[in-house]
Amino acid sequence: MESPLYITSIGIDISSNDVRTSSNIIKKINKELPLVVPNGIKSVLSNITGDDIVITSLVPEELIKENNSSILSLLKKHAEGFDDLNGISWDPKEARAGISYAMAKAGSNYGDSIIVSFDTYGGEDIVNEMALFVEDIGKKYGFDVGSSVSEYPKEIPGVGYSGRDTDDPVVVITFKELKDLPKLAGLIFGGLLSFNNLYFVKCGSSTDILPPGVIYTMSAFLNGNVIDLYPGIIKRCNII
């Protein structure tokens, strides 16, 4: 019997500033990520949202711990800022704001999914509500959903715990059929328009907003390929 497959997303700020991720970090992570994860694992840099990055993997259940640990080592190697890394602890009582971790069961062997990543500048008191709204959309329509938002310290297999005050959440929604992608993306985009001080941006954008506020990116993970959904949604809606 084959082991069940999961989509895992690790969101973290390893930047030296609060508004953008350096091109140096992006280049090094993209280059070395395929070399450090276990053989056969599809793992990619799926979202770059302000000073936060998200690494998303399609991984069998028995390799989740090893995969997470390998990614953590890579992040430590190339970090320019260490606040999130230092927030992780093997003791949940000592865990502080750290890694945002989301996991959902894959709908197929391709691991097709949507990853929504948020970054805040002064919007820490409102961003979790936005992430939970996205989570509710996925659950309402019967999809498997994972969210980093938690009322308690969140366990990250192979890594430790992140504290309940971890911000900049990540939400993963998996699906079986490619035709579900535009429906899901449209529901998420349309629903999030109801929030004030929230900006939908292209992956790789810095947090160039009027604070306090929140930005978010939305990507599709399709059999290990990543598509930034911003250009397609904007064109389809004829916004610009």
Side-chain angles (χ1 to χ4, degrees), residues 14 22-36 45 53 55 74-75 77-80:
I14 54 172
S22 76
S23 58
N24 194 40
I25 288 177
I26 296 169
K27 289 177 183 177
K28 289 179 178 179
I29 296 295
N30 275 326
K31 180 180 179 181
E32 297 183 27
L33 182 60
L35 306 177
V36 301
L45 186 58
I53 61 173
I55 295 176
L74 180 63
L75 293 170
K77 178 180 178 182
H78 296 302
E80 297 176 357

Side-chain angles (χ1 to χ4, degrees), residues 63-133:
L63 291 179
I64 289 175
K65 288 184 178 180
E66 181 182 351
N67 189 64
N68 289 345
S69 179
S70 298
I71 291 171
L72 178 64
S73 296
L74 180 63
L75 293 170
K76 287 180 176 179
K77 178 180 178 182
H78 296 302
E80 297 176 357
F82 293 86
D83 286 350
D84 282 1
L85 289 169
N86 291 336
I88 303 164
S89 174
W90 289 108
D91 184 347
K93 295 180 181 179
E94 296 181 359
R96 297 177 283 107
I99 287 175
S100 297
Y101 184 74
M103 182 173 71
K105 191 171 184 179
S108 70
N109 289 335
Y110 299 113
D112 292 349
S113 49
I114 285 179
I115 303 99
V116 183
S117 166
F118 298 85
D119 185 31
T120 67
Y121 202 105
E124 290 80 7
D125 58 335
I126 58 175
V127 68
N128 281 352
E129 181 184 355
M130 299 167 180
L132 290 172
F133 181 85

Side-chain angles (χ1 to χ4, degrees), residues 41-74:
I41 301 301
K42 295 177 180 178
S43 188
V44 293
L45 186 58
S46 63
N47 300 64
I48 305 166
T49 315
D51 62 356
D52 287 271
I53 61 173
V54 177
I55 295 176
T56 297
S57 306
L58 173 62
V59 55
E61 186 174 29
E62 71 272 11
L63 291 179
I64 289 175
K65 288 184 178 180
E66 181 182 351
N67 189 64
N68 289 345
S69 179
S70 298
I71 291 171
L72 178 64
S73 296
L74 180 63

